[in-house]
Amino acid sequence: MHLSDTKINGVDADVTFDTGAGVNIVSHELADKYNLIPLDATNTVAGVGRRDGSYVIAKELAIGNITVSDVPFLVMDISSNNAEADQYIDAFNIIVGSELMLRLKDVTIDFEKKEIIVPAEAPMRSGVRPNMYFSTQMNLLTKGSVLGNPMLMVIDSGDASYGMLSRRFYDTNESYVKAHAEQDSIRMAGIAGVVISPCYKVPDMPLSMGGNVVLPNEMAVLTGEWQGMNDYECTVGLKTLMLFGKVRFNLVDLVVSTEKSSCAFSAMPNMKAPASLKVTKEKNPNALQTLGFIAVGLGRSLINPNAPSMPDL
């Protein structure tokens, strides 16, 4: 998801908002362009492969009518080392994820209005039982179910598909999977690599998350092991998130909630996201501030001392 009306240190920026990214990322070239301040700190990111990076600070990140100060980014090469995949790399030179969401504390993605909303004041802790937490790689995890199977899910707007299910789901539901789909494969590109995994693309399996149920057009069920899914059994991709209409991340209570969509395009089996959107700001947002409008067009304090040694991307 690309955020429009964004600036870094006062300069226009093309920023990708990826809920599945455990750390903010910027390329070497753009770190220089935006005059980001280098720090004597490094980290390693786990994508398809692993790659080291060094931290920098953006004095200001402006998104819509919100400005966040002292935003950390990890400077690194995000290429996959695959020529076909890397022709789209310019769309992902700046990525913000769960690290920024923790600073904002309460984030609602409204796919129907194509905007992200943040309250003017963060909610107070309510004592409600959490249904969301962070994995060791800073993935946003929640409890849900697919086809009635309870499981942990990672909420990943950086996955432009409907999502995928792990080998564990296949082992438990092998007869159903084979009866409803043909064997196939998927290719996944990420930092430092591309992986090709055998799978079944199974249609119309009910997925429950955040209090509502949707019916994704298809989900890839992996038949081989993939080390990226050790902490969870399902990735909920962008196309499935769009079916919910609204997804709210309350980072104070650690609760994710959803609303069913009434928008026609979200119900279409082969829906396409709009290519681009013009930004307009609300003059009187009441208790809400518009963070930024989402152009859902994917081809797809300083450093947190408790951050994991290998955040996921």
Side-chain angles (χ1 to χ4, degrees):
M1 296 187 299
H2 289 271
L3 301 176
S4 50
D5 193 20
T6 59
K7 297 178 184 293
I8 296 177
N9 292 342
V11 181
D12 289 341
D14 181 12
V15 176
T16 299
F17 179 52
D18 181 359
T19 61
V23 66
N24 303 326
I25 296 287
V26 66
S27 69
H28 291 275
E29 179 183 0
L30 293 184
D32 291 337
K33 174 182 176 179
Y34 295 114
N35 294 315
L36 304 187
I37 303 169
L39 298 178
D40 187 17
T42 61
N43 206 341
T44 301
V45 166
V48 173
R50 288 176 168 81
R51 192 165 280 159
D52 296 331
S54 57
Y55 275 107
V56 294
I57 291 291
K59 293 302 295 179
E60 287 188 348
L61 171 63
I63 308 176
N65 56 7
I66 285 180
T67 299
V68 185
S69 300
D70 297 327
V71 179
F73 284 88
L74 198 61
V75 182
M76 63 184 311
D77 174 13
I78 63 171
S79 67
S80 66
N81 298 326
N82 177 280
E84 183 179 359
D86 287 345
Q87 64 182 311
Y88 305 105
I89 199 170
D90 286 345
F92 307 101
N93 278 328
I94 307 173
I95 300 171
V96 296
S98 62
E99 200 166 37
L100 178 64
M101 294 171 72
L102 280 168
R103 295 278 299 275
L104 299 175
K105 300 185 184 301
D106 193 346
V107 178
T108 297
I109 306 175
D110 187 332
F111 289 104
E112 294 186 9
K113 294 183 178 179
K114 304 176 184 66
E115 64 183 4
I116 295 176
I117 304 296
V118 174
E121 294 184 8
M124 300 293 291
R125 190 178 299 276
S126 69
V128 67
R129 186 172 182 176
N131 67 357
M132 178 177 68
Y133 72 96
F134 289 92
S135 73
T136 53
Q137 284 77 41
M138 290 296 287
N139 294 118
L140 283 171
L141 301 182
T142 189
K143 294 180 179 179
S145 68
V146 176
L147 205 65
N149 296 262
M151 63 185 66
L152 284 176
M153 303 171 162
V154 63
I155 305 167
D156 189 0
S157 66
D159 177 351
S161 73
Y162 287 96
M164 63 183 179
L165 292 143
S166 72
R167 171 64 186 267
R168 282 170 285 175
F169 180 88
Y170 174 75
D171 290 340
T172 304
N173 301 275
E174 182 176 357
S175 297
Y176 181 92
V177 170
K178 288 183 174 180
H180 290 82
E182 299 293 328
Q183 194 162 19
D184 205 332
S185 64
I186 56 173
R187 294 187 299 169
M188 293 171 282
I191 287 177
V194 171
V195 61
I196 301 175
S197 296
C199 70
Y200 287 84
K201 294 181 180 178
V202 185
D204 301 333
M205 292 189 293
L207 183 148
S208 174
M209 187 185 81
N212 284 285
V213 179
V214 293
L215 202 65
N217 188 43
E218 67 177 22
M219 293 196 75
V221 179
L222 303 183
T223 59
E225 298 293 341
W226 187 45
Q227 63 179 8
M229 298 183 76
N230 292 331
D231 293 330
Y232 50 88
E233 197 170 343
C234 173
T235 61
V236 181
L238 178 60
K239 285 188 175 181
T240 295
L241 293 173
M242 291 170 69
L243 294 175
F244 285 109
K246 281 186 182 180
V247 181
R248 180 190 177 194
F249 301 90
N250 179 340
L251 282 308
V252 176
D253 288 323
L254 286 179
V255 171
V256 61
S257 56
T258 59
E259 292 183 22
K260 288 294 288 293
S261 173
S262 59
C263 187
F265 84 81
S266 292
M268 296 297 290
N270 293 308
M271 60 188 176
K272 294 183 179 179
S276 62
L277 297 167
K278 184 180 289 185
V279 175
T280 56
K281 298 180 183 178
E282 297 178 1
K283 293 182 179 179
N284 297 302
N286 293 326
L288 298 176
Q289 291 175 304
T290 302
L291 167 60
F293 282 72
I294 307 168
V296 194
L298 291 181
R300 226 206 69 105
S301 79
L302 301 183
I303 304 299
N304 178 2
N306 298 315
S309 59
M310 234 181 301
D312 202 6
L313 190 66

